[in-house]
Coordinates of all heavy atoms in Angstrom, one line a residue:
V487 N -1.4 -7.0 6.4 CA -0.9 -7.4 5.0 C -2.0 -7.8 4.1 O -2.2 -7.3 3.0 CB 0.2 -8.4 5.1 CG1 0.4 -9.2 3.7 CG2 1.4 -8.0 5.7
F488 N -2.9 -8.7 4.6 CA -4.0 -9.3 3.7 C -5.0 -8.2 3.2 O -5.1 -8.1 2.0 CB -4.8 -10.4 4.5 CG -5.9 -11.0 3.6 CD1 -5.5 -11.9 2.6 CD2 -7.2 -10.7 3.9 CE1 -6.5 -12.4 1.9 CE2 -8.2 -11.2 3.0 CZ -7.8 -12.1 2.0
T489 N -5.4 -7.3 4.2 CA -6.3 -6.3 3.7 C -5.7 -5.2 2.8 O -6.3 -4.8 1.7 CB -6.9 -5.6 5.0 OG1 -7.6 -6.5 5.7 CG2 -7.8 -4.5 4.6
T490 N -4.5 -4.9 3.2 CA -3.7 -3.9 2.3 C -3.5 -4.5 1.0 O -3.5 -3.8 -0.1 CB -2.5 -3.4 3.0 OG1 -2.8 -3.0 4.4 CG2 -1.7 -2.4 2.3
Q491 N -3.1 -5.8 0.9 CA -2.9 -6.4 -0.4 C -4.1 -6.3 -1.3 O -4.0 -6.2 -2.5 CB -2.4 -7.8 -0.3 CG -0.9 -7.9 0.1 CD -0.5 -9.4 0.2 OE1 -1.2 -10.2 0.8 NE2 0.7 -9.7 -0.4
L492 N -5.2 -6.6 -0.7 CA -6.5 -6.6 -1.5 C -6.7 -5.2 -2.0 O -7.1 -5.1 -3.3 CB -7.6 -7.0 -0.6 CG -7.8 -8.5 -0.4 CD1 -8.9 -8.7 0.6 CD2 -8.1 -9.2 -1.7
I493 N -6.6 -4.2 -1.2 CA -6.7 -2.8 -1.6 C -5.8 -2.5 -2.7 O -6.1 -1.9 -3.8 CB -6.7 -2.0 -0.4 CG1 -7.9 -2.1 0.5 CG2 -6.5 -0.4 -0.9 CD1 -7.9 -1.3 1.8
V494 N -4.5 -2.7 -2.5 CA -3.5 -2.3 -3.4 C -3.6 -3.0 -4.8 O -3.6 -2.5 -5.8 CB -2.0 -2.7 -2.8 CG1 -0.9 -2.7 -3.9 CG2 -1.8 -1.7 -1.8
S495 N -4.1 -4.4 -4.7 CA -4.4 -5.1 -5.9 C -5.4 -4.5 -6.7 O -5.3 -4.3 -8.0 CB -4.8 -6.6 -5.6 OG -3.8 -7.3 -5.1
E496 N -6.5 -4.0 -6.1 CA -7.5 -3.4 -6.9 C -7.1 -2.0 -7.5 O -7.4 -1.7 -8.6 CB -8.8 -3.2 -6.1 CG -9.4 -4.5 -5.6 CD -9.9 -5.4 -6.6 OE1 -10.1 -4.9 -7.8 OE2 -9.8 -6.7 -6.4
L497 N -6.4 -1.3 -6.7 CA -6.0 0.1 -7.2 C -5.0 -0.1 -8.3 O -5.1 0.7 -9.4 CB -5.4 0.9 -6.0 CG -6.4 1.3 -4.9 CD1 -5.6 2.1 -3.8 CD2 -7.7 1.9 -5.4
V498 N -4.1 -0.9 -8.2 CA -3.1 -1.1 -9.2 C -3.7 -1.7 -10.5 O -3.4 -1.3 -11.6 CB -1.9 -2.0 -8.8 CG1 -0.9 -2.4 -9.9 CG2 -1.1 -1.2 -7.6
T499 N -4.5 -2.7 -10.3 CA -5.2 -3.3 -11.5 C -6.1 -2.3 -12.2 O -5.9 -2.2 -13.5 CB -6.2 -4.5 -11.0 OG1 -5.4 -5.4 -10.4 CG2 -6.9 -5.0 -12.2
N500 N -6.7 -1.4 -11.5 CA -7.5 -0.3 -12.2 C -6.6 0.5 -13.0 O -6.9 0.9 -14.1 CB -8.2 0.6 -11.2 CG -9.6 -0.1 -10.8 OD1 -10.0 -1.1 -11.4 ND2 -10.2 0.4 -9.8
A501 N -5.4 0.9 -12.4 CA -4.5 1.8 -13.2 C -4.0 1.0 -14.4 O -3.9 1.7 -15.5 CB -3.3 2.3 -12.2
V502 N -3.6 -0.1 -14.3 CA -3.0 -0.9 -15.4 C -4.0 -1.1 -16.5 O -3.7 -1.1 -17.7 CB -2.4 -2.4 -14.9 CG1 -2.1 -3.2 -16.1 CG2 -1.2 -2.1 -14.1
V503 N -5.3 -1.4 -16.1 CA -6.4 -1.7 -17.1 C -6.9 -0.4 -17.7 O -7.0 -0.3 -19.0 CB -7.5 -2.5 -16.4 CG1 -8.7 -2.6 -17.3 CG2 -7.0 -3.9 -16.1
H504 N -7.1 0.6 -16.9 CA -7.8 1.8 -17.4 C -6.8 3.0 -17.8 O -7.2 3.9 -18.5 CB -8.7 2.3 -16.4 CG -9.8 1.3 -16.2 ND1 -10.8 1.0 -17.1 CD2 -10.1 0.5 -15.0 CE1 -11.6 0.1 -16.6 NE2 -11.2 -0.2 -15.3
A505 N -5.5 2.8 -17.6 CA -4.6 3.9 -18.0 C -3.3 3.1 -18.5 O -2.2 3.4 -18.0 CB -4.2 4.8 -16.7
P506 N -3.4 2.2 -19.4 CA -2.3 1.4 -19.8 C -1.1 2.1 -20.5 O 0.0 1.6 -20.4 CB -2.9 0.4 -20.8 CG -4.1 1.1 -21.3 CD -4.6 1.9 -20.2
R507 N -1.4 3.3 -21.0 CA -0.4 3.9 -21.7 C 0.5 4.8 -20.8 O 1.6 5.2 -21.1 CB -0.8 4.8 -22.7 CG -1.4 4.1 -23.9 CD -2.0 5.0 -25.0 NE -2.7 4.3 -26.1 CZ -3.9 3.9 -26.1 NH1 -4.6 4.1 -25.0 NH2 -4.4 3.2 -27.1
S508 N 0.1 5.1 -19.6 CA 0.8 6.0 -18.7 C 1.7 5.4 -17.8 O 2.6 6.0 -17.3 CB -0.2 6.9 -17.9 OG -0.9 6.1 -16.9
G509 N 1.6 4.1 -17.5 CA 2.3 3.5 -16.3 C 1.7 4.2 -15.1 O 0.8 5.0 -15.2
S510 N 2.1 3.7 -13.9 CA 1.6 4.2 -12.7 C 2.6 4.4 -11.6 O 3.7 3.8 -11.8 CB 0.3 3.4 -12.3 OG 0.7 1.9 -12.2
R511 N 2.2 5.0 -10.6 CA 3.1 5.1 -9.4 C 2.3 4.6 -8.2 O 1.1 4.8 -8.0 CB 3.5 6.6 -9.3 CG 4.4 7.0 -10.4 CD 4.3 8.4 -10.7 NE 3.1 9.2 -10.9 CZ 2.4 9.1 -12.1 NH1 2.8 8.4 -13.1 NH2 1.3 9.8 -12.2
F512 N 3.1 3.9 -7.4 CA 2.5 3.3 -6.2 C 3.2 3.7 -4.9 O 4.4 4.0 -5.0 CB 2.7 1.7 -6.3 CG 2.5 1.0 -5.0 CD1 1.3 0.9 -4.5 CD2 3.5 0.4 -4.4 CE1 1.0 0.1 -3.4 CE2 3.3 -0.4 -3.2 CZ 2.1 -0.4 -2.7
R513 N 2.4 4.1 -3.9 CA 3.1 4.6 -2.7 C 2.3 4.0 -1.5 O 1.1 4.0 -1.4 CB 3.1 6.1 -2.7 CG 3.7 6.8 -1.6 CD 3.9 8.3 -1.8 NE 2.6 8.9 -1.9 CZ 2.0 9.6 -1.0 NH1 2.6 9.7 0.2 NH2 0.9 10.2 -1.2
L514 N 3.1 3.7 -0.5 CA 2.6 3.3 0.9 C 3.3 4.3 1.8 O 4.3 4.5 1.8 CB 3.0 1.9 1.2 CG 2.3 0.6 0.6 CD1 2.9 -0.6 1.1 CD2 0.8 0.8 1.0
A515 N 2.4 4.7 2.7 CA 3.0 5.6 3.8 C 2.3 5.4 5.1 O 1.1 5.2 5.1 CB 2.8 7.1 3.4
V516 N 3.0 5.4 6.2 CA 2.4 5.2 7.5 C 2.5 6.7 8.2 O 3.5 7.3 8.2 CB 3.3 4.3 8.4 CG1 2.9 4.2 9.8 CG2 3.2 2.9 7.8
G517 N 1.3 7.0 8.7 CA 1.2 8.2 9.5 C 1.1 7.8 11.0 O 1.4 6.7 11.4
N518 N 0.6 8.7 11.8 CA 0.5 8.4 13.3 C -0.4 7.2 13.6 O -0.1 6.4 14.3 CB 0.1 9.6 14.0 CG 0.2 9.5 15.5 OD1 0.9 8.8 16.0 ND2 -0.8 10.1 16.2
A519 N -1.6 7.2 13.0 CA -2.5 6.1 13.1 C -3.2 5.6 11.9 O -4.3 5.1 11.9 CB -3.5 6.5 14.2
T520 N -2.4 5.8 10.8 CA -3.0 5.5 9.5 C -1.9 4.8 8.6 O -0.7 5.1 8.8 CB -3.5 6.7 8.8 OG1 -2.4 7.7 8.5 CG2 -4.7 7.3 9.4
L521 N -2.4 4.0 7.6 CA -1.6 3.5 6.6 C -2.3 3.9 5.3 O -3.5 3.7 5.1 CB -1.6 2.0 6.7 CG -1.0 1.2 5.6 CD1 0.5 1.5 5.4 CD2 -1.1 -0.3 5.7
R522 N -1.5 4.6 4.5 CA -2.2 5.3 3.3 C -1.6 4.5 2.1 O -0.3 4.3 2.0 CB -1.8 6.7 3.2 CG -2.4 7.3 1.9 CD -2.1 8.8 1.9 NE -2.9 9.5 2.9 CZ -4.0 10.1 2.7 NH1 -4.6 10.1 1.5 NH2 -4.7 10.7 3.7
C523 N -2.4 4.1 1.2 CA -2.1 3.5 -0.1 C -2.5 4.4 -1.3 O -3.6 4.9 -1.3 CB -2.8 2.1 -0.4 SG -2.7 1.0 1.0
V524 N -1.6 4.7 -2.1 CA -2.0 5.7 -3.2 C -1.4 5.1 -4.5 O -0.2 4.7 -4.7 CB -1.3 7.1 -3.0 CG1 -1.7 8.0 -4.2 CG2 -1.6 7.6 -1.7
V525 N -2.2 5.0 -5.6 CA -1.8 4.6 -6.9 C -2.3 5.8 -7.8 O -3.4 6.2 -7.8 CB -2.6 3.4 -7.3 CG1 -2.1 3.1 -8.8 CG2 -2.1 2.2 -6.5
S526 N -1.2 6.4 -8.6 CA -1.5 7.5 -9.4 C -1.2 7.1 -10.9 O -0.3 6.3 -11.0 CB -0.8 8.7 -9.0 OG 0.6 8.5 -8.8
D527 N -1.8 7.7 -11.8 CA -1.4 7.5 -13.2 C -1.8 8.8 -14.0 O -2.2 9.8 -13.4 CB -2.2 6.4 -13.7 CG -3.7 6.5 -13.7 OD1 -4.3 7.6 -14.2 OD2 -4.5 5.7 -13.2
D528 N -1.5 8.8 -15.3 CA -1.6 9.9 -16.1 C -2.9 10.0 -16.9 O -3.0 10.8 -17.8 CB -0.4 10.1 -17.0 CG 0.9 10.3 -16.2 OD1 0.9 10.8 -15.1 OD2 2.0 10.0 -16.7
S529 N -3.9 9.2 -16.5 CA -5.2 9.3 -17.2 C -6.1 10.2 -16.5 O -6.2 10.3 -15.2 CB -5.9 7.9 -17.2 OG -7.1 7.9 -17.7
G530 N -6.8 11.0 -17.2 CA -7.8 11.9 -16.6 C -9.2 11.2 -16.4 O -10.0 11.8 -15.8

């Protein structure tokens, strides 16, 4: 939780600060031996 929260905080903050007009999408997914955090937005 702690490590993932730090990572997610940074990724979401970047999206909110640098792509404020687009909104963003957040996703967490568990694979066989991985936890993937993805934040996407509409900024190039």
Side-chain angles (χ1 to χ4, degrees):
V487 167
F488 182 75
T489 301
T490 306
Q491 282 182 316
L492 283 174
I493 289 171
V494 165
S495 291
E496 295 303 332
L497 298 182
V498 171
T499 298
N500 278 350
V502 169
V503 169
H504 299 291
R507 290 182 186 83
S508 73
S510 54
R511 291 153 312 277
F512 165 70
R513 186 168 56 101
L514 283 177
V516 173
N518 184 35
T520 60
L521 173 61
R522 179 178 292 267
C523 310
V524 182
V525 176
S526 54
D527 60 56
D528 295 336
S529 170

